[in-house]
Coordinates of all heavy atoms in Angstrom, one line a residue:
M1 N -98.1 1.8 -14.5 CA -98.9 1.0 -13.6 C -98.2 1.0 -12.2 O -97.0 0.8 -12.1 CB -99.0 -0.4 -14.1 CG -99.8 -1.3 -13.3 SD -100.1 -2.9 -14.1 CE -99.3 -4.0 -13.1
L2 N -98.9 1.1 -11.2 CA -98.4 1.1 -9.8 C -98.6 -0.3 -9.2 O -99.7 -0.8 -9.2 CB -99.1 2.1 -8.9 CG -98.7 2.2 -7.5 CD1 -97.3 2.6 -7.3 CD2 -99.7 3.1 -6.7
T3 N -97.5 -0.8 -8.8 CA -97.5 -2.1 -8.1 C -97.3 -1.9 -6.6 O -96.3 -1.4 -6.3 CB -96.5 -3.1 -8.7 OG1 -96.7 -3.2 -10.1 CG2 -96.6 -4.4 -8.0
R4 N -98.2 -2.3 -5.8 CA -98.0 -2.2 -4.4 C -97.4 -3.5 -3.9 O -97.8 -4.6 -4.1 CB -99.4 -2.0 -3.7 CG -100.0 -0.7 -4.0 CD -101.2 -0.4 -3.2 NE -101.9 0.7 -3.7 CZ -101.6 2.0 -3.4 NH1 -100.7 2.2 -2.5 NH2 -102.3 3.0 -3.9
M5 N -96.3 -3.3 -3.1 CA -95.6 -4.4 -2.5 C -95.8 -4.5 -1.0 O -95.8 -3.4 -0.4 CB -94.1 -4.2 -2.8 CG -93.7 -4.1 -4.2 SD -93.7 -5.7 -5.1 CE -92.3 -6.4 -4.4
S6 N -96.0 -5.7 -0.5 CA -96.1 -5.8 0.9 C -94.7 -5.7 1.5 O -93.7 -6.1 0.9 CB -96.7 -7.2 1.2 OG -96.6 -7.5 2.6
K7 N -94.6 -5.2 2.8 CA -93.4 -5.2 3.4 C -93.0 -6.5 4.0 O -91.9 -6.7 4.5 CB -93.4 -4.1 4.6 CG -93.5 -2.7 4.0 CD -93.4 -1.7 5.1 CE -93.5 -0.3 4.5 NZ -93.4 0.7 5.5
Q8 N -93.9 -7.4 4.1 CA -93.6 -8.7 4.6 C -93.4 -9.7 3.5 O -94.2 -9.6 2.5 CB -94.7 -9.2 5.5 CG -94.9 -8.4 6.8 CD -95.9 -9.0 7.7 OE1 -96.9 -9.5 7.2 NE2 -95.7 -8.9 9.0
P9 N -92.5 -10.6 3.6 CA -92.3 -11.6 2.6 C -93.5 -12.6 2.5 O -94.3 -12.7 3.5 CB -91.1 -12.4 3.0 CG -91.0 -12.2 4.5 CD -91.6 -10.8 4.7
P10 N -93.7 -13.2 1.4 CA -94.9 -14.1 1.2 C -95.0 -15.2 2.3 O -96.1 -15.5 2.7 CB -94.7 -14.8 -0.1 CG -93.8 -13.8 -0.9 CD -93.0 -13.1 0.2
A11 N -93.9 -15.7 2.8 CA -94.0 -16.7 3.8 C -94.8 -16.2 5.1 O -95.5 -16.9 5.7 CB -92.6 -17.2 4.2
F12 N -94.6 -14.9 5.4 CA -95.3 -14.4 6.5 C -96.8 -14.3 6.2 O -97.6 -14.6 7.1 CB -94.8 -13.0 6.8 CG -93.5 -13.0 7.6 CD1 -92.3 -13.2 6.9 CD2 -93.5 -12.8 8.9 CE1 -91.1 -13.2 7.6 CE2 -92.3 -12.9 9.6 CZ -91.1 -13.0 8.9
Q13 N -97.2 -14.0 5.0 CA -98.6 -13.8 4.7 C -99.3 -15.2 4.6 O -100.4 -15.3 4.9 CB -98.7 -13.1 3.3 CG -98.2 -11.7 3.4 CD -98.1 -11.1 2.0 OE1 -98.0 -11.8 1.0 NE2 -98.0 -9.8 2.0
A14 N -98.5 -16.2 4.1 CA -99.2 -17.5 3.9 C -99.3 -18.3 5.2 O -100.0 -19.3 5.2 CB -98.3 -18.3 2.9
S15 N -98.6 -17.9 6.2 CA -98.5 -18.7 7.4 C -99.8 -18.6 8.2 O -100.2 -17.5 8.5 CB -97.4 -18.3 8.3 OG -97.4 -18.9 9.5
P16 N -100.5 -19.7 8.5 CA -101.8 -19.6 9.2 C -101.6 -19.4 10.7 O -102.5 -18.9 11.3 CB -102.5 -20.9 8.9 CG -101.3 -21.8 8.7 CD -100.2 -21.0 8.1
A17 N -100.5 -19.7 11.2 CA -100.2 -19.6 12.7 C -99.6 -18.3 13.0 O -98.8 -17.7 12.2 CB -99.3 -20.7 13.1
P18 N -99.9 -17.7 14.1 CA -99.4 -16.4 14.5 C -97.9 -16.6 14.8 O -97.4 -17.6 15.2 CB -100.1 -16.0 15.8 CG -100.6 -17.3 16.3 CD -100.8 -18.2 15.1
L19 N -97.2 -15.5 14.4 CA -95.7 -15.5 14.7 C -95.4 -14.5 15.8 O -96.0 -13.4 15.8 CB -95.0 -15.1 13.4 CG -95.3 -15.8 12.1 CD1 -94.6 -15.2 10.9 CD2 -94.9 -17.3 12.3
R20 N -94.5 -14.9 16.7 CA -94.2 -14.0 17.8 C -93.4 -12.9 17.2 O -92.6 -13.0 16.3 CB -93.3 -14.8 18.8 CG -94.2 -15.8 19.6 CD -93.3 -16.6 20.5 NE -92.7 -17.7 19.7 CZ -92.1 -18.8 20.2 NH1 -92.0 -18.8 21.6 NH2 -91.6 -19.7 19.5
P21 N -93.6 -11.7 17.8 CA -92.9 -10.5 17.3 C -91.4 -10.7 17.3 O -90.9 -11.1 18.3 CB -93.3 -9.4 18.2 CG -94.6 -9.8 18.8 CD -94.5 -11.3 18.9
R22 N -90.7 -10.4 16.2 CA -89.3 -10.5 16.1 C -88.7 -11.8 16.7 O -87.6 -11.9 17.3 CB -88.6 -9.3 16.8 CG -89.1 -8.0 16.2 CD -88.4 -6.8 16.8 NE -87.1 -6.6 16.2 CZ -86.8 -6.2 15.0 NH1 -87.8 -5.8 14.2 NH2 -85.6 -6.1 14.6
F23 N -89.4 -12.9 16.4 CA -89.0 -14.2 16.9 C -87.6 -14.6 16.5 O -86.9 -15.3 17.2 CB -90.0 -15.3 16.5 CG -90.0 -15.6 15.0 CD1 -89.2 -16.5 14.5 CD2 -90.8 -14.8 14.2 CE1 -89.2 -16.8 13.1 CE2 -90.8 -15.1 12.8 CZ -90.0 -16.0 12.3
W24 N -87.2 -14.2 15.3 CA -85.9 -14.6 14.8 C -84.7 -14.0 15.6 O -83.6 -14.5 15.5 CB -85.8 -14.2 13.3 CG -85.9 -12.7 13.1 CD1 -84.9 -11.8 13.0 CD2 -87.1 -12.0 12.9 NE1 -85.4 -10.5 12.8 CE2 -86.8 -10.6 12.7 CE3 -88.5 -12.3 12.8 CZ2 -87.7 -9.6 12.5 CZ3 -89.4 -11.3 12.6 CH2 -89.0 -10.0 12.5
E25 N -85.0 -13.0 16.4 CA -84.0 -12.4 17.2 C -84.0 -13.0 18.6 O -83.0 -12.8 19.4 CB -84.1 -10.9 17.3 CG -83.9 -10.2 16.0 CD -84.1 -8.7 16.1 OE1 -84.7 -8.2 17.0 OE2 -83.7 -8.0 15.1
T26 N -85.1 -13.6 19.0 CA -85.2 -13.9 20.5 C -85.4 -15.4 20.7 O -85.2 -15.9 21.8 CB -86.4 -13.2 21.1 OG1 -87.6 -13.5 20.4 CG2 -86.2 -11.7 21.1
V27 N -85.9 -16.2 19.7 CA -86.2 -17.6 19.9 C -85.1 -18.5 19.3 O -84.8 -18.3 18.1 CB -87.6 -17.9 19.3 CG1 -87.9 -19.4 19.5 CG2 -88.6 -17.0 19.8
P28 N -84.5 -19.4 20.0 CA -83.5 -20.3 19.4 C -84.2 -21.2 18.4 O -85.4 -21.5 18.5 CB -83.1 -21.2 20.6 CG -83.5 -20.4 21.8 CD -84.7 -19.6 21.5
L29 N -83.5 -21.6 17.4 CA -84.0 -22.4 16.3 C -84.8 -23.6 16.8 O -85.9 -23.9 16.3 CB -82.9 -22.9 15.4 CG -82.2 -21.9 14.6 CD1 -81.1 -22.5 13.8 CD2 -83.1 -21.2 13.6
R30 N -84.3 -24.3 17.8 CA -85.0 -25.5 18.3 C -86.3 -25.2 19.0 O -87.1 -26.1 19.3 CB -84.1 -26.3 19.2 CG -83.7 -25.7 20.5 CD -82.7 -26.5 21.3 NE -82.4 -25.8 22.5 CZ -81.6 -24.7 22.7 NH1 -81.1 -24.2 21.6 NH2 -81.4 -24.2 23.8
R31 N -86.5 -24.0 19.4 CA -87.8 -23.6 20.1 C -88.8 -22.9 19.2 O -89.9 -22.5 19.7 CB -87.4 -22.7 21.3 CG -86.7 -23.4 22.3 CD -86.6 -22.6 23.5 NE -86.6 -23.4 24.7 CZ -86.4 -22.9 25.9 NH1 -86.2 -21.6 26.1 NH2 -86.4 -23.7 27.0
M32 N -88.5 -22.7 17.9 CA -89.4 -22.1 17.0 C -90.6 -23.0 16.7 O -90.4 -24.2 16.6 CB -88.7 -21.7 15.7 CG -87.8 -20.5 15.9 SD -87.0 -20.0 14.4 CE -85.9 -18.7 14.9
T33 N -91.7 -22.4 16.5 CA -92.9 -23.2 16.0 C -92.6 -23.6 14.5 O -91.8 -22.9 13.8 CB -94.2 -22.4 16.1 OG1 -94.1 -21.3 15.2 CG2 -94.4 -21.9 17.5
P34 N -93.3 -24.6 14.0 CA -93.2 -24.9 12.6 C -93.4 -23.7 11.7 O -92.7 -23.4 10.7 CB -94.2 -26.0 12.3 CG -94.3 -26.7 13.7 CD -94.2 -25.6 14.7
A35 N -94.4 -22.8 12.0 CA -94.7 -21.7 11.2 C -93.5 -20.6 11.3 O -93.2 -20.0 10.3 CB -96.0 -21.0 11.7
E36 N -92.9 -20.5 12.5 CA -91.8 -19.6 12.6 C -90.6 -20.1 11.8 O -89.9 -19.4 11.1 CB -91.4 -19.4 14.1 CG -92.5 -18.5 14.8 CD -92.3 -18.5 16.3 OE1 -91.6 -19.4 16.8 OE2 -92.9 -17.6 16.9
W37 N -90.4 -21.4 11.9 CA -89.3 -22.0 11.2 C -89.5 -21.8 9.7 O -88.5 -21.4 9.0 CB -89.2 -23.5 11.5 CG -88.2 -24.3 10.7 CD1 -88.4 -25.1 9.7 CD2 -86.8 -24.2 10.9 NE1 -87.2 -25.6 9.2 CE2 -86.2 -25.1 10.0 CE3 -86.0 -23.5 11.8 CZ2 -84.8 -25.2 9.9 CZ3 -84.6 -23.7 11.7 CH2 -84.0 -24.5 10.7
E38 N -90.6 -22.0 9.2 CA -90.9 -21.8 7.7 C -90.7 -20.4 7.3 O -90.3 -20.0 6.2 CB -92.3 -22.3 7.4 CG -92.5 -23.8 7.4 CD -91.8 -24.5 6.3 OE1 -91.5 -23.9 5.2 OE2 -91.5 -25.7 6.4
A39 N -91.1 -19.5 8.3 CA -91.0 -18.0 8.0 C -89.6 -17.5 7.9 O -89.4 -16.4 7.4 CB -91.8 -17.3 9.0
L40 N -88.6 -18.3 8.3 CA -87.2 -17.9 8.1 C -86.8 -17.8 6.7 O -85.9 -17.1 6.4 CB -86.3 -18.9 8.9 CG -86.4 -18.9 10.4 CD1 -85.5 -19.9 11.0 CD2 -86.1 -17.5 11.0
C41 N -87.5 -18.5 5.8 CA -87.1 -18.5 4.4 C -87.2 -17.1 3.9 O -88.3 -16.4 4.0 CB -88.0 -19.4 3.6 SG -87.8 -19.3 1.8
D42 N -86.2 -16.6 3.2 CA -86.2 -15.2 2.7 C -86.5 -15.2 1.2 O -86.5 -14.2 0.5 CB -85.0 -14.5 3.0 CG -83.7 -15.0 2.3 OD1 -83.9 -16.0 1.6 OD2 -82.6 -14.5 2.5
G43 N -86.8 -16.4 0.6 CA -87.2 -16.5 -0.7 C -86.2 -16.3 -1.8 O -86.5 -15.8 -2.9
C44 N -84.9 -16.6 -1.5 CA -83.9 -16.4 -2.5 C -83.9 -17.4 -3.6 O -83.4 -17.1 -4.7 CB -82.5 -16.5 -1.8 SG -82.0 -18.1 -1.4
G45 N -84.6 -18.5 -3.4 CA -84.7 -19.5 -4.4 C -83.5 -20.5 -4.6 O -83.6 -21.4 -5.4
K46 N -82.5 -20.2 -3.9 CA -81.3 -21.1 -4.1 C -81.5 -22.5 -3.7 O -80.9 -23.4 -4.3 CB -80.1 -20.6 -3.2 CG -79.4 -19.4 -3.8 CD -78.2 -19.0 -3.1 CE -77.4 -17.9 -3.7 NZ -76.2 -17.5 -3.0
C47 N -82.4 -22.8 -2.7 CA -82.7 -24.2 -2.4 C -83.3 -24.9 -3.5 O -83.2 -26.1 -3.6 CB -83.7 -24.2 -1.2 SG -82.9 -23.7 0.4
C48 N -83.9 -24.2 -4.4 CA -84.7 -24.8 -5.5 C -84.0 -24.9 -6.8 O -84.5 -25.3 -7.8 CB -86.0 -24.0 -5.7 SG -86.9 -23.8 -4.1
L49 N -82.7 -24.6 -6.8 CA -81.8 -24.8 -8.0 C -81.3 -26.2 -7.9 O -80.8 -26.6 -6.8 CB -80.7 -23.7 -8.0 CG -81.1 -22.3 -8.2 CD1 -79.9 -21.4 -8.2 CD2 -81.8 -22.1 -9.6
N50 N -81.2 -26.8 -9.0 CA -80.6 -28.1 -9.1 C -79.1 -28.0 -8.9 O -78.5 -27.0 -9.3 CB -80.9 -28.8 -10.4 CG -82.3 -29.2 -10.6 OD1 -83.0 -29.4 -9.6 ND2 -82.8 -29.4 -11.8
K51 N -78.5 -28.9 -8.2 CA -77.1 -28.9 -7.9 C -76.4 -30.1 -8.4 O -77.0 -31.1 -8.7 CB -76.9 -28.7 -6.4 CG -77.5 -27.4 -5.8 CD -77.9 -27.6 -4.4 CE -78.8 -26.5 -4.0 NZ -80.2 -26.7 -4.4
I52 N -75.1 -30.0 -8.6 CA -74.3 -31.1 -9.0 C -73.2 -31.3 -7.9 O -72.7 -30.4 -7.3 CB -73.6 -30.9 -10.4 CG1 -72.8 -29.7 -10.4 CG2 -74.7 -30.9 -11.5 CD1 -71.9 -29.5 -11.7
E53 N -73.0 -32.6 -7.7 CA -71.9 -33.0 -6.8 C -70.8 -33.7 -7.5 O -71.1 -34.7 -8.2 CB -72.5 -33.9 -5.7 CG -71.4 -34.3 -4.7 CD -72.0 -35.1 -3.5 OE1 -73.1 -35.5 -3.6 OE2 -71.2 -35.4 -2.6
Y54 N -69.6 -33.2 -7.4 CA -68.5 -33.8 -8.1 C -68.0 -35.1 -7.3 O -67.8 -35.0 -6.1 CB -67.3 -32.8 -8.2 CG -67.7 -31.6 -9.0 CD1 -68.0 -30.4 -8.4 CD2 -67.7 -31.6 -10.4 CE1 -68.4 -29.3 -9.1 CE2 -68.0 -30.5 -11.1 CZ -68.4 -29.3 -10.5 OH -68.7 -28.3 -11.2
E55 N -68.0 -36.2 -8.1 CA -67.7 -37.5 -7.4 C -66.3 -37.5 -6.8 O -66.2 -38.0 -5.7 CB -67.7 -38.6 -8.5 CG -69.1 -39.0 -8.9 CD -69.1 -40.2 -9.9 OE1 -68.0 -40.5 -10.4 OE2 -70.2 -40.7 -10.2
D56 N -65.4 -36.9 -7.4 CA -64.0 -37.0 -6.9 C -63.7 -36.1 -5.7 O -63.0 -36.5 -4.8 CB -63.0 -36.7 -8.0 CG -63.3 -35.4 -8.8 OD1 -64.5 -35.0 -8.7 OD2 -62.4 -35.0 -9.5
T57 N -64.4 -35.0 -5.6 CA -64.1 -34.1 -4.5 C -65.3 -34.0 -3.5 O -65.1 -33.5 -2.3 CB -63.8 -32.7 -5.0 OG1 -64.9 -32.2 -5.6 CG2 -62.6 -32.7 -5.9
G58 N -66.5 -34.3 -3.9 CA -67.6 -34.1 -3.1 C -68.1 -32.7 -3.0 O -69.1 -32.4 -2.4
E59 N -67.5 -31.9 -3.8 CA -67.9 -30.4 -3.9 C -69.2 -30.3 -4.6 O -69.5 -31.1 -5.5 CB -66.8 -29.7 -4.7 CG -67.0 -28.2 -4.7 CD -65.8 -27.5 -5.5 OE1 -64.8 -28.2 -5.8 OE2 -66.0 -26.4 -5.9
V60 N -70.0 -29.4 -4.1 CA -71.4 -29.2 -4.7 C -71.4 -27.8 -5.3 O -71.0 -26.8 -4.7 CB -72.4 -29.3 -3.6 CG1 -73.8 -29.0 -4.2 CG2 -72.4 -30.7 -3.0
D61 N -72.0 -27.7 -6.5 CA -72.1 -26.4 -7.2 C -73.6 -26.3 -7.6 O -74.3 -27.2 -7.9 CB -71.3 -26.4 -8.5 CG -69.9 -25.8 -8.3 OD1 -69.8 -25.0 -7.3 OD2 -69.0 -26.0 -9.1
F62 N -74.0 -25.0 -7.7 CA -75.3 -24.7 -8.2 C -75.3 -24.8 -9.7 O -74.3 -24.5 -10.4 CB -75.8 -23.3 -7.8 CG -76.0 -23.1 -6.4 CD1 -75.1 -22.6 -5.5 CD2 -77.3 -23.5 -5.8 CE1 -75.4 -22.5 -4.1 CE2 -77.6 -23.4 -4.5 CZ -76.6 -22.9 -3.6
T63 N -76.4 -25.2 -10.3 CA -76.6 -25.1 -11.7 C -77.6 -23.9 -12.0 O -78.0 -23.3 -11.0 CB -77.3 -26.3 -12.3 OG1 -78.6 -26.4 -11.9 CG2 -76.5 -27.6 -11.9
R64 N -77.9 -23.6 -13.2 CA -78.9 -22.6 -13.5 C -80.2 -23.2 -13.8 O -81.1 -22.5 -14.3 CB -78.4 -21.8 -14.7 CG -77.1 -21.0 -14.4 CD -76.6 -20.3 -15.6 NE -77.6 -19.2 -16.0 CZ -77.5 -18.5 -17.0 NH1 -76.5 -18.6 -17.9 NH2 -78.4 -17.5 -17.3
V65 N -80.4 -24.4 -13.5 CA -81.6 -25.1 -13.7 C -82.4 -25.2 -12.4 O -82.0 -25.7 -11.4 CB -81.4 -26.6 -14.2 CG1 -82.7 -27.3 -14.5 CG2 -80.5 -26.5 -15.5
A66 N -83.7 -24.7 -12.5 CA -84.5 -24.7 -11.3 C -85.5 -25.8 -11.3 O -85.8 -26.4 -12.3 CB -85.3 -23.4 -11.2
C67 N -86.0 -26.2 -10.1 CA -87.0 -27.1 -10.0 C -88.2 -26.7 -10.8 O -88.5 -25.5 -10.9 CB -87.4 -27.2 -8.5 SG -88.9 -28.2 -8.1
R68 N -89.0 -27.7 -11.3 CA -90.1 -27.3 -12.1 C -91.2 -26.6 -11.4 O -92.1 -26.0 -12.0 CB -90.7 -28.6 -12.8 CG -91.2 -29.6 -11.9 CD -91.4 -30.9 -12.6 NE -91.7 -32.0 -11.6 CZ -92.9 -32.5 -11.5 NH1 -93.9 -32.1 -12.3 NH2 -93.1 -33.4 -10.6
L69 N -91.2 -26.7 -10.1 CA -92.3 -26.0 -9.3 C -91.9 -24.6 -8.9 O -92.7 -23.9 -8.3 CB -92.6 -26.8 -8.0 CG -93.2 -28.2 -8.2 CD1 -93.7 -28.8 -6.9 CD2 -94.4 -28.1 -9.2
L70 N -90.7 -24.2 -9.2 CA -90.3 -22.9 -8.8 C -90.9 -21.8 -9.7 O -90.7 -21.9 -10.9 CB -88.8 -22.8 -8.7 CG -88.2 -21.4 -8.2 CD1 -88.5 -21.2 -6.8 CD2 -86.7 -21.3 -8.5
D71 N -91.5 -20.8 -9.2 CA -92.0 -19.7 -9.9 C -90.8 -18.7 -10.1 O -90.3 -18.1 -9.1 CB -93.1 -19.0 -9.2 CG -93.7 -17.8 -10.0 OD1 -92.9 -17.1 -10.7 OD2 -94.9 -17.6 -9.9
G72 N -90.3 -18.5 -11.3 CA -89.1 -17.7 -11.5 C -89.4 -16.2 -11.3 O -88.4 -15.4 -11.1
E73 N -90.6 -15.8 -11.2 CA -90.9 -14.4 -11.0 C -90.9 -14.1 -9.5 O -90.4 -13.0 -9.1 CB -92.3 -14.0 -11.5 CG -92.4 -14.1 -13.1 CD -91.5 -13.0 -13.7 OE1 -91.5 -11.9 -13.2 OE2 -90.9 -13.3 -14.7
T74 N -91.5 -14.9 -8.7 CA -91.6 -14.7 -7.3 C -90.5 -15.4 -6.4 O -90.4 -15.1 -5.3 CB -93.0 -15.1 -6.7 OG1 -93.1 -16.6 -6.9 CG2 -94.1 -14.5 -7.5
C75 N -89.8 -16.3 -7.0 CA -88.8 -17.2 -6.3 C -89.5 -18.0 -5.2 O -89.0 -18.2 -4.2 CB -87.7 -16.3 -5.7 SG -86.3 -16.3 -6.8
R76 N -90.7 -18.4 -5.5 CA -91.5 -19.2 -4.5 C -92.0 -20.5 -5.1 O -92.2 -20.5 -6.4 CB -92.7 -18.4 -4.0 CG -92.4 -17.2 -3.1 CD -91.8 -17.7 -1.8 NE -91.4 -16.6 -1.0 CZ -91.0 -16.7 0.3 NH1 -90.9 -17.9 0.8 NH2 -90.6 -15.7 1.0
C77 N -92.1 -21.5 -4.3 CA -92.6 -22.7 -4.8 C -94.1 -22.6 -5.1 O -94.9 -22.0 -4.3 CB -92.4 -23.8 -3.7 SG -93.0 -25.4 -4.2
T78 N -94.5 -23.1 -6.2 CA -95.9 -22.9 -6.6 C -96.9 -23.8 -5.9 O -98.1 -23.6 -5.9 CB -96.1 -23.1 -8.1 OG1 -95.6 -24.4 -8.5 CG2 -95.4 -22.0 -8.9
H79 N -96.3 -24.9 -5.3 CA -97.2 -25.9 -4.6 C -96.5 -26.3 -3.3 O -96.5 -27.5 -2.9 CB -97.4 -27.1 -5.5 CG -98.2 -26.9 -6.7 ND1 -97.7 -26.2 -7.8 CD2 -99.4 -27.2 -7.0 CE1 -98.6 -26.1 -8.8 NE2 -99.7 -26.7 -8.3
Y80 N -96.0 -25.3 -2.5 CA -95.2 -25.7 -1.4 C -95.9 -26.7 -0.4 O -95.3 -27.7 0.0 CB -94.8 -24.4 -0.6 CG -93.8 -24.6 0.5 CD1 -92.5 -24.9 0.1 CD2 -94.2 -24.7 1.8 CE1 -91.6 -25.1 1.1 CE2 -93.2 -24.9 2.8 CZ -91.9 -25.1 2.4 OH -91.0 -25.4 3.4
P81 N -97.2 -26.4 0.0 CA -97.8 -27.4 1.0 C -97.9 -28.8 0.5 O -97.9 -29.7 1.3 CB -99.2 -26.8 1.3 CG -99.0 -25.3 0.9 CD -98.1 -25.3 -0.3
I82 N -98.0 -29.0 -0.8 CA -98.2 -30.3 -1.4 C -97.0 -30.7 -2.3 O -97.1 -31.6 -3.1 CB -99.5 -30.5 -2.1 CG1 -99.6 -29.4 -3.2 CG2 -100.7 -30.4 -1.1 CD1 -100.8 -29.7 -4.1
R83 N -95.9 -30.0 -2.1 CA -94.8 -30.2 -3.1 C -94.3 -31.6 -3.2 O -93.8 -32.0 -4.2 CB -93.7 -29.2 -2.7 CG -93.0 -29.5 -1.4 CD -92.1 -28.3 -1.0 NE -91.2 -28.6 0.1 CZ -91.7 -28.6 1.4 NH1 -92.9 -28.4 1.7 NH2 -90.8 -28.8 2.4
H84 N -94.3 -32.3 -2.1 CA -93.7 -33.7 -2.1 C -94.6 -34.7 -3.0 O -94.1 -35.7 -3.3 CB -93.6 -34.2 -0.7 CG -92.5 -33.5 0.1 ND1 -92.7 -32.8 1.2 CD2 -91.2 -33.5 -0.2 CE1 -91.6 -32.2 1.6 NE2 -90.6 -32.6 0.8
Q85 N -95.8 -34.3 -3.3 CA -96.5 -35.1 -4.2 C -95.9 -35.0 -5.6 O -96.1 -36.0 -6.4 CB -98.0 -34.6 -4.3 CG -98.8 -34.8 -3.1 CD -100.2 -34.2 -3.2 OE1 -100.7 -34.1 -4.3 NE2 -100.8 -33.9 -2.1
F86 N -95.3 -33.9 -5.9 CA -94.7 -33.7 -7.3 C -93.2 -33.9 -7.3 O -92.6 -34.3 -8.3 CB -95.1 -32.3 -7.8 CG -96.5 -32.1 -7.7 CD1 -97.1 -31.3 -6.7 CD2 -97.4 -32.6 -8.7 CE1 -98.4 -31.0 -6.6 CE2 -98.8 -32.3 -8.6 CZ -99.3 -31.6 -7.6
V87 N -92.6 -33.5 -6.2 CA -91.1 -33.5 -6.1 C -90.7 -34.3 -4.8 O -90.5 -33.6 -3.8 CB -90.5 -32.1 -6.1 CG1 -89.0 -32.2 -6.1 CG2 -91.0 -31.3 -7.3
P88 N -90.8 -35.6 -4.8 CA -90.6 -36.3 -3.5 C -89.3 -36.1 -2.9 O -89.2 -36.2 -1.6 CB -90.7 -37.8 -4.0 CG -91.4 -37.8 -5.3 CD -91.1 -36.4 -5.9
D89 N -88.2 -35.7 -3.6 CA -86.9 -35.5 -3.0 C -86.7 -34.1 -2.6 O -85.5 -33.8 -2.2 CB -85.8 -36.1 -3.9 CG -85.8 -35.4 -5.2 OD1 -86.8 -34.7 -5.6 OD2 -84.7 -35.5 -5.9
C90 N -87.7 -33.3 -2.6 CA -87.5 -31.9 -2.1 C -87.2 -32.0 -0.6 O -87.9 -32.6 0.2 CB -88.8 -31.1 -2.3 SG -88.6 -29.4 -1.6
V91 N -86.1 -31.4 -0.2 CA -85.6 -31.5 1.1 C -86.4 -30.6 2.1 O -86.7 -29.5 1.8 CB -84.1 -31.1 1.2 CG1 -83.6 -31.1 2.7 CG2 -83.3 -31.9 0.3
S92 N -86.9 -31.2 3.2 CA -87.5 -30.5 4.2 C -86.5 -30.2 5.3 O -86.1 -31.1 6.0 CB -88.7 -31.3 4.8 OG -89.7 -31.5 3.9
L93 N -86.1 -29.0 5.4 CA -85.1 -28.6 6.4 C -85.8 -28.5 7.8 O -86.9 -27.9 7.8 CB -84.4 -27.3 6.1 CG -83.5 -27.4 4.9 CD1 -82.9 -26.0 4.7 CD2 -82.3 -28.3 5.2
T94 N -85.2 -29.0 8.8 CA -85.7 -28.8 10.1 C -84.6 -28.4 11.0 O -83.4 -28.5 10.7 CB -86.3 -30.2 10.7 OG1 -85.1 -31.1 10.8 CG2 -87.3 -30.8 9.7
P95 N -84.9 -27.9 12.2 CA -83.8 -27.5 13.1 C -82.9 -28.7 13.4 O -81.7 -28.5 13.5 CB -84.6 -27.0 14.4 CG -85.9 -26.6 13.9 CD -86.2 -27.5 12.7
K96 N -83.4 -29.9 13.4 CA -82.6 -31.1 13.7 C -81.7 -31.4 12.6 O -80.5 -31.8 12.8 CB -83.5 -32.3 14.0 CG -82.8 -33.5 14.5 CD -83.7 -34.6 14.9 CE -82.9 -35.7 15.5 NZ -83.8 -36.8 15.8
S97 N -82.2 -31.3 11.3 CA -81.4 -31.6 10.2 C -80.5 -30.5 9.7 O -79.6 -30.7 8.9 CB -82.2 -32.1 9.0 OG -83.0 -31.0 8.6
Ligands
SF4_1 S1 -90.6 -28.5 -4.7 FE1 -90.9 -26.4 -4.3 S2 -89.6 -26.0 -2.5 FE2 -89.0 -28.0 -3.4 S3 -87.3 -27.5 -4.7 FE3 -89.1 -27.5 -6.0 S4 -89.7 -25.3 -6.0 FE4 -88.3 -25.6 -4.3

């Protein structure tokens, strides 16, 4: 079976707003549009792994347990636009934060 892969990551395809060509090389983070900011995600899935913080040191480690909305095949959130309805504490990263 032949599987055709897009050269662009899913975040690029799902974004409804146009992205400036090679914006990641020319536009400072604080000047990116929300769509460009979201498109920076490379889909590694690390953000969606549960983590533990050691009380005594404050050190944070990844666990092997993923959020229930993470698709383990694609490393993408299955309900990203409405994820906070299901996972209220999912962190929304912004240039400011
Ligand atoms: S809700 Fe979606 S984006 Fe947030 S941690 Fe879970 S899988 Fe990741």
